[in-house]
Amino acid sequence: MSMFATATVTVTTETAAVFTALAIVIIVSQLFGQVLARLGQPRVMGEILGGIALGPSLLGWIAPNLEEQFFGGGIIDELSLLGQLGLAMFMYLVGLELRPSMLRGQAALALRISLSGIVVPMAMGIGLAYGLNVWDTSLFPGERTLDGALFLGTAMAITAFPVLACILKERGLQDQTIGSLSIACAAIDDLFSWVILAGVVAFARSGSAIACLIPLGLTAAWAFVLLVLLRPAKRCLVKHVEQQKEISPLVQGALFAGLLISSVVTDQIGVHLIFGAFLWGLAMPRHHELQTRMETKLETVVMRLLLPMFFVASGLETELTKLGRGDLLLITALVLGVAVAGKYSGTWASARLGGVPERDAQALGWLANTRGMTELVVLNVGLKLGAINATLFGIGVVMAVATTLMTGPMLDRLGFTKRRLQTV
């Protein structure tokens, strides 16, 4: 009896510690999100900054004992697991929100702009990585600098589709020409970015260009299963929603189970669980009622409860206080400068060549420069695989935050002012 009582007390204590940490993360992330929203910035950026603030960059710097008390021991492992679940569900929503209708009438132009906006910054990022490796060999652990260079190039090439969509909506631009073109570009950018990242992960895990073809081929086969072979099941799903005017608990459970299984499949293949979640969302029927209901059911839980755990797990890996050294400040400035120049110039130049007016082309360049939490995903994968070290991870976080926060002011300068503040 005493052994049972002791075990119960231990479990209760651990549960209380995890629940306390959960409460702290939720409150802090939402407070930061509210502040950033009032300042005219995307709310999610405040939540990311809240996660960073709970790590060694602020809380650990001011009160290291308090940070250890809240997130020490196995607590962070529990939060990281919840964060991974939140990340998978977020990627499902990203795939769910990508609609072919976004490309209607401007697919060719959007494709040219997106490809230029990916190739230019990625090439510049890879070149910069090799230069940085000569300067400081510790930034890219191990002997295979190419892995780290590919991750840095990918981080510079991506655009945060969800954050960009939020910015357009807040400014009332989604129904204007610039809004529809930027959404189309971001949708293509998002799709290509995840394909590129899948290739980079497969290469980093396998160690050679030839060996990485196997996991990429298996991922393509899985995508074929979800996108093509499951079409009869998708038609049944649409019929169910139209008849019931609701998604039954059994069907909801099946959809969530499919999300988890798809994530496990791609993780076991050798890429990453995020690709399985993204593909599952991409495979969902493009049915307005179904998409709306799924987004409504998931967004609050994912964005307000689970995803902040991913942010705080990233924040605990980020120690910005170490970037105060002169050489690291210079490296941070170089990374930020190359990231902005590559993404903006690649997008702007291609847009101008495609006949887009100067003002709109500039706006497209700054919108494409929005990296948000999508870059955090890339950086986390690179860090976990050992392709980049914690210092370069922190520099990448600075780049993600800075490039996203500068989008609003640059749009204001061009006259695309905010229609209203999003505070709730």
Side-chain angles (χ1 to χ4, degrees):
M1 180 68 73
S2 60
M3 290 179 62
F4 176 76
T6 302
T8 302
V9 171
T10 302
V11 171
T12 303
T13 303
E14 291 176 354
T15 302
V18 172
F19 277 26
T20 301
L22 278 168
I24 292 170
V25 172
I26 292 170
I27 292 172
V28 170
S29 65
Q30 295 314 309
L31 284 174
F32 272 74
Q34 189 79 351
V35 170
L36 264 288
R38 288 187 179 277
L39 293 175
Q41 294 288 351
R43 187 185 188 96
V44 69
M45 294 311 300
E47 295 169 0
I48 292 173
L49 290 174
I52 294 172
L54 290 172
S57 298
L58 185 59
L59 181 61
W61 179 51
I62 298 173
N65 292 334
L66 201 58
E67 182 201 359
E68 176 64 24
Q69 180 180 342
F70 287 149
F71 304 111
I75 295 176
I76 189 58
D77 294 331
E78 303 282 352
L79 298 185
S80 295
L81 181 60
L82 289 173
Q84 288 299 306
L85 176 60
L87 181 59
M89 298 180 80
F90 172 77
M91 290 304 302
Y92 167 70
L93 288 174
V94 171
L96 188 67
E97 290 173 357
L98 285 178
R99 299 178 177 91
S101 59
M102 295 173 179
L103 306 179
R104 188 172 296 130
Q106 48 196 356
L109 176 60
L111 180 60
R112 291 196 299 272
I113 295 173
S114 295
L115 288 178
S116 177
I118 290 173
V119 172
V120 174
M122 188 166 189
M124 291 176 67
I126 291 172
L128 176 64
Y130 275 98
L132 293 178
N133 191 56
V134 174
W135 187 342
D136 186 347
T137 56
S138 68
L139 294 174
F140 304 97
E143 299 179 356
R144 300 180 64 229
T145 308
L146 181 56
D147 294 355
L150 289 171
F151 272 103
L152 184 60
T154 303
M156 290 189 176
I158 55 110
T159 294
F161 175 81
V163 178
L164 182 144
C166 177
I167 291 173
L168 292 174
K169 184 177 180 181
E170 290 176 353
R171 292 173 181 268
L173 299 174
Q174 71 272 23
D175 296 324
Q176 297 184 24
T177 302
I178 178 64
S180 59
L181 181 57
S182 60
I183 279 288
C185 291
I188 295 172
D189 196 311
D190 219 39
L191 191 58
F192 273 99
S193 295
W194 295 123
V195 172
I196 291 170
L197 184 58
V200 171
V201 172
F203 177 78
R205 284 182 167 178
S206 62
S208 73
I210 300 298
C212 81
L213 293 177
I214 297 175
L216 283 180
L218 291 173
T219 303
W222 181 242
F224 180 79
V225 170
L226 296 182
L227 299 174
V228 179
L229 298 186
L230 286 186
R231 281 178 179 172
K234 289 190 284 186
R235 286 194 289 268
C236 291
L237 179 58
V238 170
K239 186 177 181 181
H240 166 79
V241 174
E242 290 178 344
Q243 288 180 344
Q244 302 294 325
K245 305 301 181 184
E246 183 56 88
I247 308 174
S248 71
L250 180 60
V251 173
Q252 289 180 43
L255 291 176
F256 294 147
L259 163 64
L260 297 176
I261 291 170
S262 184
S263 301
V264 170
V265 167
T266 55
D267 191 60
Q268 292 299 307
I269 282 172
V271 282
H272 197 278
L273 64 86
I274 58 176
F275 303 109
F278 176 73
L279 286 172
W280 187 251
L282 203 60
M284 290 296 103
R286 266 42 202 168
H287 185 271
H288 178 73
E289 186 76 14
L290 173 64
Q291 289 178 295
T292 301
R293 289 187 180 278
M294 290 303 297
E295 289 169 4
T296 302
K297 291 177 183 298
L298 286 179
E299 277 186 347
T300 300
V301 173
V302 173
M303 302 303 295
R304 301 292 172 258
L305 176 62
L306 295 176
L307 208 54
M309 307 310 141
F310 172 74
F311 296 149
V312 78
S314 300
L316 291 170
E317 299 277 7
T318 307
E319 193 164 356
L320 300 182
T321 54
K322 289 186 175 180
L323 302 182
R325 282 178 13 211
D327 59 334
L328 291 181
L329 283 174
L330 184 55
I331 290 174
T332 302
L334 276 172
V335 169
L336 182 58
V338 170
V340 174
K343 195 67 177 177
Y344 176 83
S345 63
T347 303
W348 170 82
S350 185
R352 290 294 292 138
L353 289 173
V356 177
E358 174 65 29
R359 178 169 170 261
D360 287 1
Q362 290 187 33
L364 281 172
W366 292 118
L367 285 164
N369 196 48
T370 301
R371 289 176 175 85
M373 69 155 291
T374 309
E375 184 176 332
L376 289 187
V377 177
V378 178
L379 294 171
N380 269 276
V381 174
L383 183 65
K384 295 297 185 293
L385 289 177
I388 59 176
N389 71 357
T391 300
L392 192 56
F393 177 85
I395 292 172
V397 170
V398 171
M399 188 236 292
V401 172
T403 55
T404 305
L405 294 183
M406 70 172 60
T407 302
M410 298 311 296
L411 290 177
D412 288 339
R413 187 181 66 83
L414 292 170
F416 296 101
T417 55
K418 195 175 183 66
R419 184 174 58 183
R420 61 182 176 84
L421 292 180
Q422 185 79 13
T423 58
V424 295

